[in-house]
Amino acid sequence: MAMLRRRKASPPADDHASTSAVGSSIKEEVGEKKQAKASKKGGKGRWSCLDNCCWLIGIICSVWWLLLFSYKAMPASLPQYVTEVITGPLPDQPGVKLQKEGLRAKHPVVFVPGIVTGGLELWEGHQCADGLFRKRLWGGTFGEVYKRPLCWVEHMSLDNETGLDPPGIRVRSVSGLVAADYFAPGYFVWAVLIANLARIGYEEKTMYMAAYDWRMSFQNTEVRDQTLSRIKSNIELMVSTNGGRKVVVIPHSMGVLYFLHFMKWVEPPAPMGGGGGPNWCAEHIKAVMNIGGPFLGVPKAVSSLFSAEAKDVAVARAIAPGVLDSDFLGLQTLRHVMRLTRTWDSIMSMIPKGGDTIWGGLDWSPEESYECSPKKQKNNDSHASSNDDGEMVECQSQSVNYGRIISFGKDIAETPSAKIEQNDFRDAVKGNNVAHSNVSCREIWTEYHELGWAGIKAVADYKVYTASSLIDLLNFVAPKMMQRGSAHFSHGIADDLDDPKYMHHKYWSNPLETKLPNAPDMEIYSLYGVGIPTERAYVYKLSPSAECYIPFQIDSSANGGHEGSNLQGGIYLANGDETVPVLSAGYMCAKGWRGKTRFNPSGIKTYIREYDHAPPANILEGRGTQSGAHVDIMGNFALIEDIIRVAAGASGEELGGDQVYSDILKWSEKINLHL
């Protein structure tokens, strides 16, 4: 029994050991879990950059899809409702408004785009352009530009000798209304006007986009593509298929000069002209409504050809000096831009015309140094608003001589002419060129490499340039470009318009060297924005490393010294549409063509319609409905309404005649031009 009891007593001992073993195992398991939790807690603080990037991408994608779903799911009227809550009731689109008034399509319309507003596509290219057949090189997404910028420059350049296609390259203008309805996705050009015309019954058979290759000289568009002949044929077809109703032509920007060339080209016999005869315009055109027309050129074209820059580039240079033309970073952007744009003969059509007679000299300028700051206002009426609708315009008179279009140094720009000592550059000897030994310089060759130190110094020592001496300056620094361009464009004033030499095509885009057509019933409008500071003259300085880089640049450190000064960042600003000064856009219709003059012998009626710029009140308005900016004005409700009314049959008198906010009438009287 004792043995049995001992045996019976032994299991509890075993149970105790097993219990201890189980307990220890449980403790170990709990410890492992604690360690695992601790390791997890510690792991959260040791995420890699890849983990963070993945989470960030996931969050962005989730938010993007949520917003996209919300946008697709929301009622179509919600965005307009939100906008109206913030900004007040929106006006009817001009087309809707005029449709309610009973206006209907009448005269066919022809659009003539400018530089920014005409798309170009590739038809033949080099190996680097594989896969780009019929893809847009200008306009569109510009996606290929980012991938292969040097290839893009190569294919957008024209031949330096002929001004036509380089060997193995064919770039052509896009055809149809899509050629210029949008410049890039979401950035409208002609689209808003086209949509509003459609509201009163216009369609593709009554609208025609006269697209052309805007890089070339105007006459070369006919030589290579027969573009002028196509425009003539299409206008004749539109008139004949619309009951004999004449067309309303709407050119924009450089398209204004292009169509001015066309109206003279269409009259003479072939091969110089189109063979339409002296009455062709009278029989086919009701009105020409020029939008933002650089009739007398723009100073901006000079700075572009001289140093490949304008206001925006000068600002970028001031923010990041040396980046745009950095040899160290391998960018050399401005030299590529100069090499490209100096092959575009069309830019030479916008060099200021009329010399000192129009633009002023060393001691005077028509604008009298009078400048208004942009007005900030809000008025949703489609008519242009008056000064009482918003804040008052702050105007001030300053001692600025805009006639000095280029000055080397702020002190020279302000010094009386009697105290300026000028050393003539015209006969200076070019040379002392050290760029030939620099491999980097030879990679992006410009005509400045032929100028040398002696030529650079001669240009700077002349100190100040007016509109007359600018032509000599460009002939000196870019003789090859100007020799090619002078065969297609002229920038003077005709003494005798009956001289047979003015029958040459190089004079036809200069309103001071050609007559308007014999069409007394035709109307000519000048439609443009005002109230925006616009480039008018420049302060320059020598660039560092001039033997390799572009030797001259705008002196962005030159400022007027007080708020509201006309001198900002090395640029003297005057009234205009941000690109074209009022003087260039308005003078011909204000005086040069007003009534029967030697430039307008048949007495075609001319009208000025200015649109006082008002920026959008908030981001919901996009680019605004009252903008006067050079491209954004294409969405200006007042301008669109004026165009639709004329297309529907109204005359300039029925629009109300002239609509003037600037001092263009007073400035025009100061120009002593024999009319």
Side-chain angles (χ1 to χ4, degrees), residues 287-511:
V288 183
M289 307 192 74
N290 303 289
I291 304 176
F295 288 105
L296 302 177
V298 290
K300 197 172 186 177
V302 176
S303 65
S304 175
L305 294 172
F306 187 55
S307 61
E309 60 183 337
K311 183 181 177 182
D312 48 355
V313 177
V315 170
R317 265 182 158 169
I319 295 173
V323 172
L324 289 177
D325 46 5
S326 170
D327 187 50
F328 172 73
L329 295 176
L331 299 178
Q332 305 164 355
T333 306
L334 294 184
R335 289 165 63 200
H336 283 295
V337 170
M338 173 166 284
R339 185 186 69 169
L340 173 67
T341 56
R342 282 192 175 183
T343 69
W344 296 348
D345 290 348
S346 61
I347 292 182
M348 282 176 275
S349 71
M350 295 191 287
I351 293 174
K353 304 175 178 71
D356 295 359
T357 302
I358 298 293
W359 295 90
L362 292 175
D363 297 310
W364 79 283
S365 56
E367 294 95 331
E368 295 183 322
S369 307
Y370 193 71
E371 173 64 18
C372 293
S373 60
K375 179 168 59 176
K376 189 174 183 179
Q377 62 182 20
K378 172 63 181 173
N379 179 8
N380 279 328
D381 191 2
S382 61
H383 290 286
S385 51
S386 65
N387 291 353
D388 294 333
D389 292 332
E391 299 177 7
M392 295 299 294
V393 182
E394 182 182 355
C395 299
Q396 53 186 328
S397 181
Q398 300 179 17
S399 179
V400 177
N401 189 347
Y402 291 113
R404 304 179 187 188
I405 296 180
I406 287 182
S407 303
F408 276 88
K410 179 185 173 184
D411 55 335
I412 296 297
E414 299 172 350
T415 300
S417 60
K419 296 182 179 180
I420 299 176
E421 296 181 5
Q422 293 179 283
N423 299 318
D424 200 345
F425 65 92
R426 295 174 181 87
D427 298 324
V429 178
K430 301 179 183 180
N432 299 330
N433 193 347
V434 296
H436 289 285
S437 61
N438 190 318
V439 175
S440 175
C441 289
R442 293 199 300 271
E443 289 177 356
I444 312 171
W445 196 257
T446 69
E447 291 191 72
Y448 276 129
H449 297 100
E450 305 293 341
L451 198 60
W453 283 113
I456 293 169
K457 186 176 184 301
V459 169
D461 286 347
Y462 193 72
K463 296 183 176 62
V464 60
Y465 296 84
T466 63
S468 295
S469 54
L470 281 176
I471 305 299
D472 293 331
L473 171 64
L474 292 174
N475 274 309
F476 184 76
V477 301
K480 182 179 291 186
M481 176 192 76
M482 291 299 288
Q483 181 181 5
R484 195 179 65 246
S486 63
H488 295 279
F489 301 107
S490 180
H491 305 90
I493 301 175
D495 295 324
D496 180 11
L497 287 168
D498 294 322
D499 190 324
K501 78 174 187 178
Y502 290 110
M503 289 304 297
H504 192 276
H505 63 77
K506 77 175 189 177
Y507 300 104
W508 294 346
S509 62
N510 183 354

Side-chain angles (χ1 to χ4, degrees), residues 79 98 178 225 304 370 378 390 424 443 459 521 575 611 645:
L98 298 181
V178 296
D225 302 331
S304 175
Y370 193 71
K378 172 63 181 173
D424 200 345
E443 289 177 356
V459 169
D521 295 330
N575 199 357
Y611 304 91
R645 288 187 182 279

Side-chain angles (χ1 to χ4, degrees), residues 78-92:
L78 184 58
Q80 181 177 345
Y81 172 76
V82 173
T83 302
E84 289 185 355
V85 167
I86 297 174
T87 65
L90 296 177
D92 284 337

Side-chain angles (χ1 to χ4, degrees), residues 494-657:
D495 295 324
D496 180 11
L497 287 168
D498 294 322
D499 190 324
K501 78 174 187 178
Y502 290 110
M503 289 304 297
H504 192 276
H505 63 77
K506 77 175 189 177
Y507 300 104
W508 294 346
S509 62
N510 183 354
L512 302 174
E513 293 182 308
T514 189
K515 298 178 184 179
L516 287 178
N518 181 30
D521 295 330
M522 192 173 82
E523 295 179 330
I524 294 182
Y525 296 78
S526 189
L527 318 172
Y528 56 91
V530 297
I532 306 178
T534 303
E535 298 172 44
R536 179 64 169 81
Y538 304 88
V539 176
Y540 268 85
K541 67 178 181 179
L542 289 174
S543 302
S545 304
E547 78 283 357
C548 185
Y549 304 137
I550 298 171
F552 313 108
Q553 69 180 64
I554 296 172
D555 185 1
S556 57
S557 65
N559 289 291
H562 62 276
E563 187 177 354
S565 171
N566 289 11
L567 176 60
Q568 298 178 17
I571 301 171
Y572 284 102
L573 304 170
N575 199 357
D577 69 358
E578 201 169 33
T579 296
V580 182
V582 166
L583 184 67
S584 179
Y587 173 76
M588 292 309 297
C589 282
K591 186 178 180 183
W593 289 330
R594 185 60 59 102
K596 284 192 176 184
T597 70
R598 65 191 184 103
F599 304 111
N600 181 17
S602 66
I604 296 172
K605 290 183 179 180
T606 63
Y607 299 96
I608 293 176
R609 302 286 291 178
E610 294 183 344
Y611 304 91
D612 206 5
H613 174 71
N618 55 66
I619 195 172
L620 294 175
E621 289 189 13
R623 289 153 64 191
T625 61
Q626 298 182 65
S627 176
H630 188 63
V631 177
D632 293 355
I633 196 173
M634 304 291 279
N636 185 299
F637 278 13
L639 176 138
I640 293 173
E641 182 174 330
D642 284 347
I643 290 174
I644 294 178
R645 288 187 182 279
V646 172
S651 66
E653 292 297 330
E654 290 171 322
L655 288 186

